């Protein structure tokens, strides 16, 4: 085909957007809402996952040793802990260091410590359990090491969190699947009725000898154009909505941090990715949806 | 050349629209197909442009075996003929100009040729002044003439026109048939479907009469215009 005729068809596709404004606008709105819903859902759920990961990172166990510990025993404990494949970040805390940390936690009450003659803080170790599901056997193993007095571990918290996370993944999959499915149904219905409104145009073109490709090209361009515009608009809206939610948490950062609200994804970090994905998804849904809807009118 | 061999068309509604039709139209002929409403004239035309395939029998047009055409070969075949539909089949949202230029785009003509050709054919049907009008704003007669202009645009070897005068006043009807005769004299085969016997008698030529789906008459008669 001549380039002049190809560019005619492309132009035709874009002018069709205005000519069929009501239908274009309907497709645009539906695409916009669907893409907005899905991108917000993805972002929010990714963040919740991060938060749960953060909380799960509090998988720290504290190991306190007996009062009359010898250096040899300490070295022994240290090496056993370091060789335990289930543990990472093994940290030895001397009584002096322990006291300093304790003081930090006490804040303004730190001076209480000054009244004590002896440092009450024992030698201790901190370690993280890699897989929170293995926390019980790990604690039992650590407890049996010679010289270990007490092991503290967040058992209940760990199992509760595990359950929440499992349930959450099921909900995420359910919500996403529903959103995507509902969007596809609504989008395809909207596009189908927009193509239906122009079925005469399509069949007439066929009757006067146009090939399918020739008829599809402007519709393809039109669907893609509407899709890209909807993608860009949903990106802007996502930005706005997401930033509003995000600032709710970051305004009171120290408070929320205690609950694991840190490392949240700032929109700036995913800005271009969201734009790219939304425009691509919009273009794909718009263009492919249109082409599929045309199918039956082309068979004349 | 159009050739039909033992053609039957049975609609799913139960109507036998054409019964054992045999027919041959040679290149360069001008043929009137006449018959009462419901006789099967439009069905015959739909066979010739491969809108329909016969229930049985074979249809050949310009060397194409229409029953065997598939996909884009159908499009290519349709581009080689010009058709004026009884119900016009114009794209209502297009301008008059666009309806005509569209078939030239389909035929992949250059922009330069299109800009010359469209006004030329619109002029033949005396509608050049309406080029920029939206098709849906035109009267029935005007739309019919746009349909004729569109059929002529690609300078087809075969022109099939279904009741092209149905919406025209008598004076204009004679002008249009005169135009078709003129086009025929330049070498295009013309098949014109009509139920207006006066027009047929006036112009004369080969006349095929359909009655309840069968050809009952196929002869050439002299017209008045040749005596003038
Ligand atoms: N698409 C169709 N489905 C069912 N019956 C049809 C269809 N088109 C035409 N017919 C019937 O076939 C017969 C011939 O119709 P048609 O070819 O349109 O006649 P004409 O053009 O001579 O008036 C009529 O009885 C008509 O009702
Ligand atoms: Mg008819």
């Amino acid at each position: 085909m001549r380039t002049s005729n190809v560019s005619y068809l492309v132009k035709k596709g874009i002018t069709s957007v205005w000519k069929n404004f009501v239908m274009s606008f309907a497709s645009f709105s539906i695409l916009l809402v669907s893409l907005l819903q899905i991108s917000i859902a993805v972002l929010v759920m990714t963040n919740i996952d991060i938060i749960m990961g953060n909380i799960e990172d509090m998988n720290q166990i504290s190991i306190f040793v007996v009062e009359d510990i010898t250096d040899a025993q300490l070295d022994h404990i240290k090496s056993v802990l370091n060789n335990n494949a289930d543990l990472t970040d093994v940290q030895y805390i001397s009584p002096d260091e322990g006291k300093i940390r304790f003081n930090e936690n006490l804040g303004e009450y730190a001076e209480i410590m000054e009244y004590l003659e002896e440092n009450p803080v024992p030698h201790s170790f901190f370690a993280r359990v890699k897989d929170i599901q293995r926390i019980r056997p790990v604690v039992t193993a650590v407890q049996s090491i010679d010289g270990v007095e007490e092991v503290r571990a967040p058992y209940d918290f760990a199992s509760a969190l595990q359950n929440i996370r499992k349930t959450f993944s099921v909900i995420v999959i359910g919500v996403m699947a529903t959103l995507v499915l509902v969007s596809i149904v609504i989008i395809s219905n909207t596009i189908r009725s927009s193509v239906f409104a122009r079925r005469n145009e399509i069949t007439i073109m066929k009757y006067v000898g146009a090939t399918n490709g020739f008829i599809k090209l402007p519709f393809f361009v039109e669907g893609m154009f509407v899709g890209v515009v909807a993608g860009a608009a949903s990106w802007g809206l996502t930005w706005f909505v997401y930033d509003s939610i995000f600032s709710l948490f970051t305004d009171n950062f120290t408070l929320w941090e205690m609950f694991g609200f840190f490392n949240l994804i700032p929109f700036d970090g995913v800005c271009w990715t969201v734009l790219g994905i939304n425009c691509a998804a919009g273009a794909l849904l718009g263009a492919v949806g249109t082409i599929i809807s045309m199918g039956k009118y082309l068979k004349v | 050349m159009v050739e039909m061999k033992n053609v039957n068309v049975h609609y799913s509604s139960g109507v036998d629209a054409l019964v054992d039709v045999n027919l041959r139209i040679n290149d360069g002929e001008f043929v009137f197909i006449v018959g009462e409403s419901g006789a099967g004239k439009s069905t015959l035309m739909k066979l010739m442009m491969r809108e329909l395939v016969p229930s049985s029998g074979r249809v050949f047009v310009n060397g194409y075996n229409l029953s065997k055409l598939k996909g884009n070969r159908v499009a290519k075949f349709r581009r080689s003929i010009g058709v004026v539909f009884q119900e016009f089949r114009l794209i209502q949202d297009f301008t008059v100009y666009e309806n005509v230029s569209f078939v030239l785009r389909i035929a992949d003509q250059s922009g330069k040729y299109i800009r010359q050709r469209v006004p030329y054919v619109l002029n033949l049907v005396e509608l050049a002044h309406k080029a920029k009008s939206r098709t849906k704003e035109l009267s029935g007669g005007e739309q019919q003439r746009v349909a004729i202009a569109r059929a002529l645009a690609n300078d087809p070897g075969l022109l099939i026109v279904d009741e092209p005068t149905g919406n025209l006043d008598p004076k204009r009807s004679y002008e249009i048939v005169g135009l078709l005769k003129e086009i025929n004299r330049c070498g295009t085969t013309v098949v014109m479907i009509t139920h207006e016997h006066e027009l047929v008698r006036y112009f004369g030529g080969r006349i095929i009469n359909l009655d309840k789906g069968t050809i009952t008459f196929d002869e050439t008669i002299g017209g008045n215009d040749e005596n003038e």
Side-chain angles (χ1 to χ4, degrees):
Chain A
M1 211 182 341
R2 282 170 206 271
T3 46
S4 69
N5 286 330
V6 173
S7 69
Y8 163 81
L9 290 178
V10 171
K11 244 183 263 164
K12 188 126 206 68
I14 293 176
T15 49
S16 285
V17 176
W18 314 118
K19 269 193 177 174
N20 305 286
F21 185 77
V22 176
M23 277 315 198
S24 307
F25 189 74
S27 304
F28 164 84
S29 312
I30 295 293
L31 277 168
L32 171 71
V33 172
S34 304
L35 291 172
L36 176 68
Q37 275 187 75
I38 292 173
S39 16
I40 294 281
V42 168
L43 285 171
V44 167
M45 284 172 176
T46 313
N47 275 312
I48 294 180
D49 204 53
I50 289 174
I51 291 165
M52 294 221 268
N54 290 342
I55 299 173
E56 209 164 78
D57 273 348
M58 298 171 182
N59 51 356
Q60 204 172 46
I61 60 172
S62 322
I63 301 143
F64 300 98
V65 301
V66 293
E67 223 169 299
D68 50 352
I69 192 93
T70 65
D71 284 351
Q73 274 177 309
L74 264 183
D75 285 344
H76 172 68
I77 297 173
K78 203 182 286 182
S79 76
V80 172
L81 291 178
N82 276 324
N83 289 330
N84 189 322
D86 285 316
L87 295 173
T88 58
D89 299 342
V90 177
Q91 230 185 327
Y92 166 70
I93 310 285
S94 68
D96 293 339
E97 266 177 83
K99 187 178 164 186
I100 294 167
R101 292 192 175 198
F102 195 50
N103 277 344
E104 278 168 10
N105 284 349
L106 286 176
E108 54 182 303
Y109 303 106
E111 50 190 281
I112 295 172
M113 292 294 278
E114 303 306 321
Y115 297 101
L116 299 171
E117 276 169 24
E118 247 177 86
N119 182 0
V121 181
H123 295 270
S124 58
F125 293 90
F126 288 110
R128 288 182 187 281
V129 181
K130 281 184 199 156
D131 179 1
I132 203 153
Q133 282 178 290
R134 300 224 350 109
I135 198 159
R136 265 170 209 282
V138 170
V139 167
T140 317
V142 173
Q143 207 125 39
S144 65
I145 305 170
D146 187 35
V148 170
E149 165 100 31
E150 195 192 345
V151 181
R152 281 191 210 141
Y155 292 125
D156 299 340
F157 182 63
S159 65
L161 199 69
Q162 242 175 280
N163 285 338
I164 293 175
R165 212 166 177 184
K166 259 187 217 155
T167 318
F168 180 71
S169 347
V170 174
I171 294 175
V172 169
I173 293 169
V175 169
M176 291 312 299
T178 315
L179 273 184
V180 170
L181 211 74
V182 168
S183 304
I184 287 178
V185 169
I186 296 178
I187 291 167
S188 67
N189 269 327
T190 311
I191 293 176
R192 208 178 307 157
S193 55
S194 134
V195 169
F196 179 80
R198 285 154 71 192
R199 64 194 180 287
N200 280 336
E201 183 178 328
I202 297 170
T203 53
I204 290 171
M205 288 175 179
K206 277 292 283 201
Y207 285 138
V208 295
T211 57
N212 289 351
F214 194 95
I215 301 174
K216 281 176 179 173
L217 184 59
F219 278 87
F220 186 85
V221 170
E222 184 182 345
M224 196 152 89
F225 184 88
V226 171
V228 169
V229 174
S234 72
W235 170 74
L237 272 178
T238 304
W239 191 340
F240 175 76
V241 173
Y242 182 78
D243 256 3
S244 313
I245 302 176
F246 191 78
S247 61
L248 273 185
F249 292 103
T250 43
D251 283 352
N252 260 316
F253 202 64
T254 34
L255 173 70
W256 291 111
E257 208 170 1
M258 286 169 58
F259 297 105
F261 285 77
F262 51 90
N263 286 338
L264 294 187
I265 306 170
F267 197 82
D268 297 352
V270 289
C271 184
W272 303 121
T273 317
V274 174
L275 178 65
I277 292 176
N278 281 20
C279 287
L284 192 79
L285 284 169
V288 174
T290 308
I291 294 302
I292 291 174
S293 310
M294 289 175 74
K296 66 175 156 191
Y297 308 116
L298 289 169
K299 289 191 190 107
V300 292
Chain B
M1 191 187 71
V2 179
E3 194 169 14
M4 298 202 179
K5 286 183 178 164
N6 308 106
V7 165
N8 287 280
V9 172
H10 180 81
Y11 284 116
S12 52
S13 62
V15 178
D16 285 308
L18 292 177
V19 182
D20 199 32
V21 169
N22 287 283
L23 163 74
R24 185 188 165 106
I25 298 168
N26 288 316
D27 286 345
E29 277 195 82
F30 188 109
V31 180
F32 282 114
I33 295 178
V34 297
E36 285 172 12
S37 179
K41 307 184 294 298
S42 292
T43 302
L44 199 69
M45 182 221 101
K46 285 170 186 169
L47 287 174
M48 288 183 203
M49 63 154 289
R50 177 52 177 74
E51 183 179 338
L52 275 181
V53 286
S55 316
S56 65
R58 284 184 294 170
V59 182
F60 299 89
V61 176
N62 292 345
Y64 290 92
N65 180 350
L66 297 193
S67 311
K68 295 228 168 101
L69 276 189
K70 291 230 163 55
N72 282 341
R73 302 238 309 144
V74 174
K76 190 169 178 237
F77 161 71
R78 285 177 181 164
R79 265 176 270 152
S80 75
I81 61 174
V83 182
V84 179
F85 301 91
Q86 189 168 6
E87 66 283 14
F88 321 143
R89 297 193 190 168
L90 298 170
I91 298 172
Q92 297 293 314
D93 283 332
F94 280 17
T95 60
V96 168
Y97 186 96
E98 273 181 300
N99 261 299
V100 179
S101 69
F102 187 76
V103 295
L104 293 162
R105 296 277 179 195
I106 289 173
D108 207 22
Q109 298 291 359
S110 72
K112 186 166 174 250
Y113 178 74
I114 293 172
R115 282 189 295 276
Q116 290 172 352
R117 183 70 182 168
V118 178
Y120 175 76
V121 289
L122 283 178
N123 210 27
L124 289 180
V125 296
E126 293 172 41
L127 272 179
H129 62 292
K130 294 270 183 176
K132 291 203 171 89
S133 303
R134 237 165 230 280
T135 305
K136 61 180 158 209
E137 289 156 7
L138 302 187
S139 72
E142 285 169 328
Q143 293 204 22
Q144 194 145 42
R145 280 144 61 206
V146 178
I148 294 167
R150 181 181 65 184
L152 298 177
N154 271 324
D155 200 8
L158 170 65
L159 193 60
I160 308 164
V161 293
D162 193 355
E163 314 256 9
T165 58
N167 290 277
L168 303 180
D169 53 74
K171 179 174 166 281
R172 196 136 245 154
S173 298
Y174 282 84
E175 279 173 19
I176 288 295
V177 183
L179 173 66
L180 294 176
K181 281 275 187 186
E182 185 62 37
I183 288 162
N184 172 248
R185 267 192 280 278
C186 298
T188 300
T189 312
V190 178
V191 178
M192 175 171 161
I193 293 166
T194 183
H195 62 261
E196 291 182 55
H197 293 278
E198 273 185 42
L199 264 181
V200 176
R201 265 197 295 276
Y202 178 79
F203 285 97
R206 181 175 168 195
I207 296 162
I208 297 174
N209 185 67
L210 269 180
D211 185 17
K212 296 193 187 79
T214 13
I215 294 178
T216 56
F217 180 90
D218 183 353
E219 274 171 56
T220 305
I221 61 162
N224 298 340
D225 72 329
E226 276 151 33
N227 306 338
E228 276 175 304

